[in-house]
Amino acid sequence: MSSVPPSIPSPVRIKQPKRADLVTEDVKRLITARNLKPGDRLPNEKDLQELFGVSKSTTREALKSLEVQGLITISTGPSGGATIREVPLERTLQLMQNYLFFQDISMKDLYAARTILEPELAAGAVANLTDEQLARLEANIETCQPACGSNATLLDQRQSDLDFHDLLAEANGDPFLRFLCQLINELLRRLVVYSTDTPADEHVSFGCANVRCHTAILNAARNRDADEVRRLMKEHMEEAESFVARLNGCLDGRLILDSEMAPQLRGFEPR
Amino acid sequence: MSSVPPSIPSPVRIKQPKRADLVTEDVKRLITARNLKPGDRLPNEKDLQELFGVSKSTTREALKSLEVQGLITISTGPSGGATIREVPLERTLQLMQNYLFFQDISMKDLYAARTILEPELAAGAVANLTDEQLARLEANIETCQPACGSNATLLDQRQSDLDFHDLLAEANGDPFLRFLCQLINELLRRLVVYSTDTPADEHVSFGCANVRCHTAILNAARNRDADEVRRLMKEHMEEAESFVARLNGCLDGRLILDSEMAPQLRGFEPR
DNA sequence: TTGTAGTATTTATCATGATAAATAGAACTG
DNA sequence: CAGTTCTATTTATCATGATAAATACTACAA
């Protein structure tokens, strides 16, 4: 018999890591150790097989893992293979939604976080807003003017409303706060559904209120009045939450698919 | 399982989605459509091959993708194969750290978000805290008493300090706010490094201040005084940030590996 | 110069096993 | 009954191609 001691049947046996996962880790170490940057290339499949002493299928699974994690793209052709890339925001948001799919997140929860974060995000963006960004904010408000719209148009407006907040997020210098707000915006964008029997005029009221709030925020931002922006945004969030509640807005519990997301997910990287 | 469908050469080339990714999407649709829950099993490899009309390697890559995303675990043996699971928090945090690896997040950014969120998190937890949780908080404070410790012990105390905040997070009823705070805690836990030449007594001061703050927060929590908890936590965050700054704490820019994380990542699921 | 056609490289996908390891459940044993 | 062994099932990993498709580059033609 071998020298391995008779494994004591413990309640939790240690799961043997799979080779592909070990290779994935090795590649990550390689990235950290060699300080590889987006655009740098990994060795091709054949070389990786030799480098780590594993078979083709194991190598391919490891690369698949890195691809799913958003860390590499793979292309065919000469000088093809795996290229490191900056993990796209969209990819991260999608992976996060896999998690939230199983959590019982309510609209109330989302708005609780939003009411805390958005005012600070907006206030922090005020100082950085360029003329161009201010112009885009103004243009966005135009788009959101609720005219006589079909129901589909009204839903489109809910999407455009969110763009206003994404634009503000872009102007904030804090990448982490930005990320948190983008996450919330994305969740609202993908998962909010309204009951079909909601009267259209309620939606119109919602749109009008948003336009009013956004306009006020934009004006305060033009005056570089961060405190006022914070105050207005807080009000806006509280009002918006009550509108959503009145419209029976709730979160759709479903898995987001890759194909619903931005094209960068497909792995195409211009340069 | 025959040949790949021919593609018509169009003027606008769209990146052809890979088969494995299409299969991954199909499985996700299956999960949503059939309302599959954690513990439910997918068909085995062979059946999936037939179901989707793809080869073994493609099937395996699709399963690998789902596994990396944390949506399934795979086991061998009779009645083995892919089992749906709730995406573990740890998995999600790791995937998110892949994203943040490329973002230039500073300690200041992290503490900005923390100072906004933690006070609300703590205040929201007060009403829900059970006696058992209060006891655990108290026990945690004991652990963090900075005695005469080696440098390694001092760093361990930084980790234990974070446990206090994780314990509070657990008691908050809002799963989304909880998630955000757990994310921050995890980032601090994994990525904060201190310069080696920091005097030990500064670390001791830090530890003492934390114990003081945590004690005050615990007392206020026992009195179910949410406002006081909020106020104390805000103070605590501001003080902690200045301590970290004085200790030259900064974020280690590296990729987190699976093996650093909790065992649930390995795919083991009791039941 | 500009566009096209050819060529070599590399991944994508398929096919078809073989051996090893993990595992659940049945059969056996003290 | 409790523990062990046997056995069938299923994935893990390897091996070894073959054909198809995407792509970078080069050579050639208008």
Side-chain angles (χ1 to χ4, degrees), chain A residues 3-269:
Chain A
S3 59
V4 180
S7 64
I8 301 145
S10 61
V12 178
R13 262 167 300 180
I14 305 291
K15 190 101 168 186
Q16 204 62 26
K18 297 180 193 176
R19 292 230 170 160
D21 294 331
L22 295 176
V23 172
T24 303
E25 286 214 353
D26 283 338
V27 174
K28 284 189 178 181
R29 286 202 192 86
L30 209 71
I31 293 173
T32 304
R34 291 199 195 160
N35 195 26
L36 297 182
K37 296 293 169 200
D40 292 344
R41 293 220 313 285
L42 294 179
N44 69 21
E45 258 187 46
K46 206 158 194 83
D47 292 341
L48 286 173
Q49 282 173 51
E50 285 171 19
L51 183 56
F52 296 113
V54 293
S55 70
K56 188 170 75 170
S57 45
T58 302
T59 309
R60 286 190 59 79
E61 281 195 16
L63 289 174
K64 187 77 206 170
S65 171
L66 292 165
E67 194 190 29
V68 170
Q69 293 179 57
L71 289 163
I72 62 169
T73 62
I74 304 178
S75 56
T76 61
S79 75
T83 305
I84 309 228
R85 70 161 166 179
E86 196 178 305
V87 178
L89 174 65
E90 296 281 306
R91 162 64 70 188
T92 308
L93 294 177
Q94 194 208 333
L95 293 168
M96 202 162 327
Q97 287 176 47
N98 287 338
Y99 170 76
L100 296 174
F101 172 70
F102 294 98
Q103 307 301 313
D104 204 25
I105 309 280
S106 70
M107 193 63 93
K108 192 166 154 293
D109 300 329
L110 226 46
Y111 265 94
R114 209 170 180 225
T115 306
I116 299 170
L117 291 170
E118 276 285 337
E120 291 305 321
L121 176 93
V126 167
N128 306 335
L129 281 164
T130 64
D131 287 344
E132 196 253 329
Q133 285 173 319
L134 287 166
R136 280 205 285 159
L137 286 170
E138 183 158 11
N140 171 271
I141 293 176
E142 289 302 320
T143 319
C144 294
Q145 287 290 357
C148 48
S150 70
N151 233 29
T153 315
L154 289 170
L155 287 180
D156 282 348
Q157 270 174 3
R158 292 292 78 74
Q159 300 284 318
S160 301
D161 288 343
L162 286 167
D163 292 341
F164 184 86
H165 295 271
D166 270 330
L167 286 168
L168 269 182
E170 271 177 42
N172 192 298
D174 180 335
F176 188 67
L177 189 55
R178 206 161 58 210
F179 170 68
L180 296 182
C181 289
Q182 284 168 326
L183 166 61
I184 294 173
N185 291 342
E186 186 68 13
L187 290 175
L188 292 174
R189 207 187 294 280
R190 303 279 169 207
L191 294 182
V192 173
V193 289
Y194 297 98
S195 66
T196 49
D197 60 345
T198 318
D201 60 337
E202 273 283 16
H203 262 292
V204 174
S205 306
F206 192 7
C208 288
N210 283 337
V211 167
R212 191 162 22 78
C213 287
H214 289 182
T215 305
I217 288 168
L218 176 58
N219 284 335
R222 281 224 163 87
N223 295 331
R224 308 290 174 185
D225 186 345
D227 287 335
E228 179 68 0
V229 167
R230 183 185 290 109
R231 196 186 64 75
L232 287 167
M233 183 61 88
K234 184 150 184 289
E235 256 181 38
H236 174 33
M237 289 298 97
E238 283 158 358
E239 188 183 43
E241 182 175 8
S242 76
F243 264 112
V244 172
R246 231 175 306 158
L247 285 164
N248 290 319
C250 61
L251 296 176
D252 192 4
R254 66 188 177 82
L255 281 172
I256 303 291
L257 306 176
D258 287 8
S259 51
E260 297 181 57
M261 313 280 294
Q264 54 184 331
L265 271 187
R266 288 265 155 265
F268 181 73
E269 185 193 347

Side-chain angles (χ1 to χ4, degrees), chain B residues 233-249:
Chain B
M233 183 60 89
K234 184 149 184 290
E235 256 181 37
H236 174 34
M237 290 296 98
E238 283 157 359
E239 188 183 45
E241 180 176 12
S242 76
F243 263 112
V244 172
R246 231 176 304 159
L247 284 165
N248 291 318

Side-chain angles (χ1 to χ4, degrees), chain B residues 26 30-31 36 53 89-91 93 96 107 116 130 157 159 164 174 177-178 183 224 236 245 247 252 262:
Chain B
D26 284 338
L30 209 72
I31 293 172
L36 296 183
L89 173 66
E90 297 281 305
R91 162 64 69 188
L93 295 177
M96 200 164 326
M107 193 63 92
I116 298 170
T130 63
Q157 270 174 2
Q159 299 282 320
F164 184 86
D174 181 336
L177 188 56
R178 205 163 58 207
L183 165 61
R224 308 291 174 184
H236 174 34
L247 284 165
D252 192 3

Side-chain angles (χ1 to χ4, degrees), chain B residues 89-121:
Chain B
L89 173 66
E90 297 281 305
R91 162 64 69 188
T92 308
L93 295 177
Q94 194 208 331
L95 293 168
M96 200 164 326
Q97 286 175 49
N98 288 336
Y99 169 77
L100 297 174
F101 172 70
F102 293 99
Q103 309 300 314
D104 206 24
I105 309 279
S106 70
M107 193 63 92
K108 196 166 150 294
D109 300 328
L110 226 47
Y111 264 95
R114 207 169 182 229
T115 307
I116 298 170
L117 292 171
E118 277 285 337
E120 291 305 321
L121 176 92

